[in-house]
Amino acid sequence: MSKQNPKSKSRREPAKITEAAAESPVAKVETPEKKSLIKERTPEEKKKEHRDGIIKTIVASILGTIAGVLVFSLYGAGEDRIWYAVLMIVIGLTYYIQKLIYPQLKINTKEFKFKDWFYVEFIVMDFFLVIWTLLLN
């Protein structure tokens, strides 16, 4: 057996032999079980998460499209406005609108993490900027 480097990451625990197995002619060796870090989801949970993801994407894209049309109709090219203030207003309004819409669509917003909110707001801003740009041309 080779000697392991103290800095090596893969250290194995020695195998355990039970007393009953040690007495038998063929010894049974118990290996330590690896703990699974990923929680197994049921097919129903997978289906619900998939449905919720589609609904979140559709709602965010519709809000972004509406925001692009509204900003174009209110500000036009926005030359007399500060552009980043318009972006912050759109982000703030769509965030609170989504917090009101998702519970009505049976999506629990209390389970949302930063990643989820970032995802839906990115889609809103993406659609908003694309629609506004298309309307400006």
Side-chain angles (χ1 to χ4, degrees):
M1 234 172 145
S2 64
K3 201 173 190 183
Q4 285 188 347
N5 186 356
K7 293 183 180 180
S8 68
K9 294 181 181 178
S10 63
R11 290 188 169 225
R12 295 184 180 178
E13 295 180 18
K16 297 178 185 176
I17 302 175
T18 60
E19 290 180 24
E23 294 173 2
S24 68
V26 179
K28 294 181 180 177
V29 178
E30 293 180 15
T31 58
E33 295 180 20
K34 293 184 179 179
K35 293 182 180 177
S36 151
L37 299 176
I38 300 172
K39 181 184 171 194
E40 292 295 322
R41 297 179 296 174
T42 63
E44 293 84 24
E45 290 175 336
K46 289 180 183 179
K47 192 179 289 186
K48 184 183 181 319
E49 287 179 11
H50 182 69
R51 183 185 70 77
D52 290 351
I54 291 172
I55 291 172
K56 287 188 268 187
T57 303
I58 290 171
V59 168
S61 61
I62 290 171
L63 283 175
T65 303
I66 292 171
V69 171
L70 276 174
V71 168
F72 178 74
S73 66
L74 291 175
Y75 301 130
E79 294 172 348
D80 58 337
R81 305 280 183 219
I82 302 172
W83 65 270
Y84 53 85
V86 173
L87 293 179
M88 290 299 120
I89 291 169
V90 169
I91 288 173
L93 287 175
T94 56
Y95 172 76
Y96 286 110
I97 290 171
Q98 289 178 81
K99 282 189 84 102
L100 295 173
I101 290 176
Y102 288 143
Q104 294 174 356
L105 298 173
K106 297 178 182 159
I107 296 176
N108 189 2
T109 56
K110 293 180 182 179
E111 293 177 358
F112 274 33
K113 298 175 185 164
F114 174 77
K115 175 183 77 167
D116 299 314
W117 285 115
F118 185 79
Y119 165 72
V120 293
E121 285 301 323
F122 177 79
I123 290 177
V124 167
M125 292 310 297
D126 191 31
F127 270 82
F128 161 67
L129 292 172
V130 167
I131 296 297
W132 194 19
T133 303
L134 288 174
L135 291 173
L136 288 173
N137 288 329

Short mmCIF file of all heavy atoms in Angstrom, two decimals, residues 8-43:
data_model
loop_
_atom_site.label_atom_id
_atom_site.label_comp_id
_atom_site.label_asym_id
_atom_site.label_seq_id
_atom_site.Cartn_x
_atom_site.Cartn_y
_atom_site.Cartn_z
N SER A 8 -3.60 15.14 0.51
CA SER A 8 -4.47 14.54 -0.50
C SER A 8 -5.91 14.61 -0.04
O SER A 8 -6.22 14.47 1.13
CB SER A 8 -4.06 13.10 -0.80
OG SER A 8 -4.32 12.30 0.33
N LYS A 9 -6.81 14.82 -1.01
CA LYS A 9 -8.21 15.03 -0.70
C LYS A 9 -8.99 13.74 -0.53
O LYS A 9 -10.01 13.71 0.12
CB LYS A 9 -8.86 15.88 -1.79
CG LYS A 9 -8.32 17.27 -1.84
CD LYS A 9 -8.99 18.08 -2.89
CE LYS A 9 -8.40 19.48 -2.93
NZ LYS A 9 -8.98 20.28 -3.97
N SER A 10 -8.54 12.69 -1.13
CA SER A 10 -9.32 11.46 -1.10
C SER A 10 -8.75 10.51 -0.05
O SER A 10 -7.88 9.72 -0.32
CB SER A 10 -9.34 10.80 -2.47
OG SER A 10 -8.02 10.44 -2.82
N ARG A 11 -9.26 10.62 1.14
CA ARG A 11 -8.88 9.70 2.21
C ARG A 11 -10.03 8.74 2.43
O ARG A 11 -11.17 9.16 2.52
CB ARG A 11 -8.58 10.44 3.49
CG ARG A 11 -7.32 11.24 3.41
CD ARG A 11 -6.98 11.78 4.75
NE ARG A 11 -5.65 12.32 4.70
CZ ARG A 11 -4.74 12.12 5.61
NH1 ARG A 11 -5.02 11.43 6.68
NH2 ARG A 11 -3.55 12.62 5.48
N ARG A 12 -9.72 7.52 2.54
CA ARG A 12 -10.76 6.52 2.75
C ARG A 12 -10.70 6.05 4.20
O ARG A 12 -9.63 5.90 4.77
CB ARG A 12 -10.56 5.33 1.83
CG ARG A 12 -10.72 5.70 0.39
CD ARG A 12 -10.61 4.48 -0.45
NE ARG A 12 -10.77 4.85 -1.85
CZ ARG A 12 -10.68 4.00 -2.82
NH1 ARG A 12 -10.44 2.73 -2.58
NH2 ARG A 12 -10.83 4.40 -4.07
N GLU A 13 -11.90 5.79 4.72
CA GLU A 13 -11.94 5.22 6.06
C GLU A 13 -11.65 3.73 5.95
O GLU A 13 -12.03 3.09 4.97
CB GLU A 13 -13.34 5.44 6.65
CG GLU A 13 -13.66 6.89 6.88
CD GLU A 13 -15.06 7.05 7.47
OE1 GLU A 13 -15.61 6.05 8.00
OE2 GLU A 13 -15.58 8.14 7.39
N PRO A 14 -11.00 3.19 6.95
CA PRO A 14 -10.74 1.74 6.87
C PRO A 14 -12.04 0.96 6.94
O PRO A 14 -13.00 1.37 7.57
CB PRO A 14 -9.85 1.48 8.10
CG PRO A 14 -10.07 2.65 9.00
CD PRO A 14 -10.46 3.80 8.13
N ALA A 15 -12.07 -0.15 6.27
CA ALA A 15 -13.26 -1.00 6.25
C ALA A 15 -13.47 -1.62 7.62
O ALA A 15 -12.51 -1.96 8.32
CB ALA A 15 -13.11 -2.08 5.19
N LYS A 16 -14.72 -1.78 8.02
CA LYS A 16 -15.05 -2.36 9.31
C LYS A 16 -15.50 -3.80 9.11
O LYS A 16 -16.28 -4.09 8.21
CB LYS A 16 -16.17 -1.55 9.98
CG LYS A 16 -15.77 -0.13 10.27
CD LYS A 16 -16.92 0.62 10.87
CE LYS A 16 -16.57 2.08 11.06
NZ LYS A 16 -17.70 2.85 11.54
N ILE A 17 -15.04 -4.67 9.96
CA ILE A 17 -15.45 -6.07 9.91
C ILE A 17 -16.26 -6.35 11.16
O ILE A 17 -15.81 -6.09 12.28
CB ILE A 17 -14.23 -7.01 9.83
CG1 ILE A 17 -13.39 -6.69 8.60
CG2 ILE A 17 -14.66 -8.45 9.87
CD1 ILE A 17 -12.12 -7.47 8.51
N THR A 18 -17.45 -6.86 10.99
CA THR A 18 -18.29 -7.18 12.14
C THR A 18 -17.77 -8.44 12.82
O THR A 18 -17.07 -9.27 12.21
CB THR A 18 -19.75 -7.38 11.71
OG1 THR A 18 -19.81 -8.46 10.79
CG2 THR A 18 -20.30 -6.12 11.06
N GLU A 19 -18.12 -8.60 14.10
CA GLU A 19 -17.64 -9.76 14.85
C GLU A 19 -18.20 -11.06 14.29
O GLU A 19 -17.51 -12.06 14.19
CB GLU A 19 -18.04 -9.62 16.32
CG GLU A 19 -17.28 -8.53 17.03
CD GLU A 19 -17.71 -8.40 18.49
OE1 GLU A 19 -18.22 -9.39 19.06
OE2 GLU A 19 -17.53 -7.33 19.04
N ALA A 20 -19.47 -11.04 13.92
CA ALA A 20 -20.07 -12.26 13.38
C ALA A 20 -19.43 -12.62 12.04
O ALA A 20 -19.23 -13.79 11.73
CB ALA A 20 -21.57 -12.06 13.20
N ALA A 21 -19.10 -11.64 11.28
CA ALA A 21 -18.48 -11.89 9.98
C ALA A 21 -17.05 -12.36 10.14
O ALA A 21 -16.54 -13.13 9.32
CB ALA A 21 -18.53 -10.64 9.13
N ALA A 22 -16.37 -11.92 11.21
CA ALA A 22 -14.98 -12.32 11.41
C ALA A 22 -14.89 -13.80 11.75
O ALA A 22 -13.90 -14.46 11.46
CB ALA A 22 -14.36 -11.48 12.51
N GLU A 23 -15.94 -14.36 12.39
CA GLU A 23 -15.93 -15.76 12.76
C GLU A 23 -16.23 -16.67 11.57
O GLU A 23 -15.85 -17.83 11.56
CB GLU A 23 -16.95 -16.00 13.87
CG GLU A 23 -16.58 -15.29 15.15
CD GLU A 23 -17.69 -15.39 16.20
OE1 GLU A 23 -18.72 -16.02 15.93
OE2 GLU A 23 -17.50 -14.81 17.27
N SER A 24 -16.97 -16.17 10.59
CA SER A 24 -17.32 -17.00 9.44
C SER A 24 -16.12 -17.15 8.52
O SER A 24 -15.21 -16.31 8.53
CB SER A 24 -18.50 -16.40 8.70
OG SER A 24 -18.12 -15.20 8.09
N PRO A 25 -16.10 -18.23 7.71
CA PRO A 25 -14.95 -18.44 6.82
C PRO A 25 -14.79 -17.33 5.79
O PRO A 25 -13.69 -16.96 5.43
CB PRO A 25 -15.22 -19.78 6.15
CG PRO A 25 -16.61 -20.16 6.51
CD PRO A 25 -17.06 -19.29 7.63
N VAL A 26 -15.90 -16.78 5.30
CA VAL A 26 -15.83 -15.68 4.35
C VAL A 26 -16.25 -14.42 5.10
O VAL A 26 -17.40 -14.27 5.48
CB VAL A 26 -16.76 -15.93 3.14
CG1 VAL A 26 -16.69 -14.77 2.18
CG2 VAL A 26 -16.42 -17.23 2.46
N ALA A 27 -15.31 -13.54 5.34
CA ALA A 27 -15.59 -12.34 6.12
C ALA A 27 -16.32 -11.32 5.26
O ALA A 27 -15.94 -11.07 4.13
CB ALA A 27 -14.30 -11.74 6.66
N LYS A 28 -17.37 -10.75 5.84
CA LYS A 28 -18.10 -9.70 5.13
C LYS A 28 -17.56 -8.36 5.60
O LYS A 28 -17.42 -8.11 6.79
CB LYS A 28 -19.60 -9.78 5.43
CG LYS A 28 -20.22 -11.05 4.89
CD LYS A 28 -21.68 -11.08 5.19
CE LYS A 28 -22.31 -12.35 4.65
NZ LYS A 28 -23.72 -12.46 4.98
N VAL A 29 -17.27 -7.52 4.67
CA VAL A 29 -16.70 -6.21 4.97
C VAL A 29 -17.76 -5.14 4.75
O VAL A 29 -18.42 -5.11 3.71
CB VAL A 29 -15.46 -5.94 4.08
CG1 VAL A 29 -14.90 -4.57 4.37
CG2 VAL A 29 -14.43 -7.02 4.28
N GLU A 30 -17.93 -4.27 5.75
CA GLU A 30 -18.86 -3.15 5.62
C GLU A 30 -18.08 -1.94 5.13
O GLU A 30 -17.06 -1.59 5.71
CB GLU A 30 -19.51 -2.82 6.96
CG GLU A 30 -20.43 -3.88 7.48
CD GLU A 30 -21.02 -3.47 8.82
OE1 GLU A 30 -20.93 -2.28 9.17
OE2 GLU A 30 -21.56 -4.34 9.50
N THR A 31 -18.54 -1.34 4.09
CA THR A 31 -17.91 -0.11 3.61
C THR A 31 -18.70 1.08 4.11
O THR A 31 -19.92 1.01 4.22
CB THR A 31 -17.85 -0.08 2.07
OG1 THR A 31 -19.17 -0.20 1.57
CG2 THR A 31 -16.99 -1.21 1.54
N PRO A 32 -18.03 2.16 4.42
CA PRO A 32 -18.76 3.34 4.89
C PRO A 32 -19.65 3.88 3.78
O PRO A 32 -19.25 3.94 2.62
CB PRO A 32 -17.67 4.33 5.27
CG PRO A 32 -16.43 3.82 4.64
CD PRO A 32 -16.60 2.36 4.39
N GLU A 33 -20.88 4.26 4.14
CA GLU A 33 -21.82 4.77 3.15
C GLU A 33 -21.53 6.23 2.84
O GLU A 33 -21.19 6.99 3.73
CB GLU A 33 -23.25 4.64 3.67
CG GLU A 33 -23.69 3.22 3.86
CD GLU A 33 -25.12 3.15 4.38
OE1 GLU A 33 -25.85 4.14 4.21
OE2 GLU A 33 -25.48 2.11 4.93
N LYS A 34 -21.67 6.56 1.59
CA LYS A 34 -21.50 7.96 1.19
C LYS A 34 -22.82 8.67 1.37
O LYS A 34 -23.87 8.16 1.00
CB LYS A 34 -21.07 8.05 -0.27
CG LYS A 34 -19.69 7.50 -0.51
CD LYS A 34 -19.29 7.71 -1.94
CE LYS A 34 -17.90 7.17 -2.17
NZ LYS A 34 -17.48 7.34 -3.55
N LYS A 35 -22.75 9.84 1.96
CA LYS A 35 -23.95 10.62 2.17
C LYS A 35 -24.28 11.38 0.89
O LYS A 35 -23.43 12.02 0.30
CB LYS A 35 -23.77 11.60 3.33
CG LYS A 35 -23.62 10.91 4.65
CD LYS A 35 -23.50 11.91 5.76
CE LYS A 35 -23.35 11.22 7.09
NZ LYS A 35 -23.16 12.17 8.17
N SER A 36 -25.52 11.31 0.51
CA SER A 36 -25.97 12.02 -0.69
C SER A 36 -26.30 13.46 -0.32
O SER A 36 -27.09 13.71 0.58
CB SER A 36 -27.19 11.29 -1.25
OG SER A 36 -28.03 12.15 -1.90
N LEU A 37 -25.65 14.40 -0.99
CA LEU A 37 -25.87 15.81 -0.71
C LEU A 37 -27.07 16.35 -1.46
O LEU A 37 -27.64 17.36 -1.10
CB LEU A 37 -24.63 16.62 -1.08
CG LEU A 37 -23.36 16.27 -0.32
CD1 LEU A 37 -22.20 17.09 -0.85
CD2 LEU A 37 -23.54 16.51 1.16
N ILE A 38 -27.48 15.68 -2.53
CA ILE A 38 -28.59 16.14 -3.34
C ILE A 38 -29.86 15.41 -2.89
O ILE A 38 -29.88 14.19 -2.82
CB ILE A 38 -28.33 15.87 -4.84
CG1 ILE A 38 -27.07 16.61 -5.28
CG2 ILE A 38 -29.53 16.28 -5.67
CD1 ILE A 38 -26.63 16.27 -6.68
N LYS A 39 -30.87 16.20 -2.60
CA LYS A 39 -32.13 15.61 -2.18
C LYS A 39 -32.86 15.07 -3.41
O LYS A 39 -33.02 15.76 -4.40
CB LYS A 39 -33.00 16.68 -1.49
CG LYS A 39 -34.31 16.15 -1.01
CD LYS A 39 -35.16 17.26 -0.44
CE LYS A 39 -36.55 16.74 -0.16
NZ LYS A 39 -37.50 17.80 0.07
N GLU A 40 -33.28 13.83 -3.31
CA GLU A 40 -34.02 13.21 -4.41
C GLU A 40 -35.42 13.79 -4.46
O GLU A 40 -36.09 13.90 -3.44
CB GLU A 40 -34.09 11.70 -4.22
CG GLU A 40 -32.75 11.00 -4.36
CD GLU A 40 -32.17 11.11 -5.75
OE1 GLU A 40 -32.94 11.05 -6.73
OE2 GLU A 40 -30.95 11.27 -5.86
N ARG A 41 -35.86 14.18 -5.65
CA ARG A 41 -37.19 14.75 -5.82
C ARG A 41 -38.10 13.72 -6.46
O ARG A 41 -37.69 12.93 -7.30
CB ARG A 41 -37.12 16.00 -6.71
CG ARG A 41 -36.30 17.12 -6.09
CD ARG A 41 -36.24 18.29 -7.00
NE ARG A 41 -35.51 17.88 -8.22
CZ ARG A 41 -35.36 18.63 -9.27
NH1 ARG A 41 -35.89 19.81 -9.33
NH2 ARG A 41 -34.70 18.20 -10.32
N THR A 42 -39.35 13.80 -6.07
CA THR A 42 -40.34 12.89 -6.66
C THR A 42 -40.74 13.42 -8.02
O THR A 42 -40.54 14.60 -8.33
CB THR A 42 -41.58 12.79 -5.74
OG1 THR A 42 -42.19 14.08 -5.66
CG2 THR A 42 -41.20 12.31 -4.35
N PRO A 43 -41.34 12.59 -8.86
CA PRO A 43 -41.79 13.06 -10.18
C PRO A 43 -42.80 14.21 -10.08
O PRO A 43 -42.81 15.10 -10.93
CB PRO A 43 -42.42 11.82 -10.81
CG PRO A 43 -41.76 10.67 -10.14
CD PRO A 43 -41.46 11.13 -8.75
#
